[in-house]
Amino acid sequence: MSVARVTEITAASTVGFEDAIKTGIARAVKTLRNVKGAWIQDQEVRVDGDKIVEYRVHMKVSFILTD
């Protein structure tokens, strides 16, 4: 039987949402072991004038706890 835990992460990118997700997952696996999935809870953009300058994702990352 496995026990999972969920942690919330916010990641940002100037390229796009997909890049922000990849950045967040890459950072999560540096600290968390056994990452198994992520749920994108929310997306937002930061705007300066008439241009999008940053894409942000708020995600919940699940990982399996081990002995």
Side-chain angles (χ1 to χ4, degrees), residues 4-5 7 9 24-39 59-66:
R5 183 171 174 122
T7 188
I9 293 176
I25 294 297
R27 179 59 184 91
V29 299
K30 286 183 179 180
T31 307
L32 306 172
R33 287 187 232 142
N34 302 316
V35 172
K36 298 299 178 189
W39 174 61
M59 64 178 99
K60 294 186 178 188
V61 176
S62 62
F63 58 100
I64 304 297
L65 299 175
T66 59

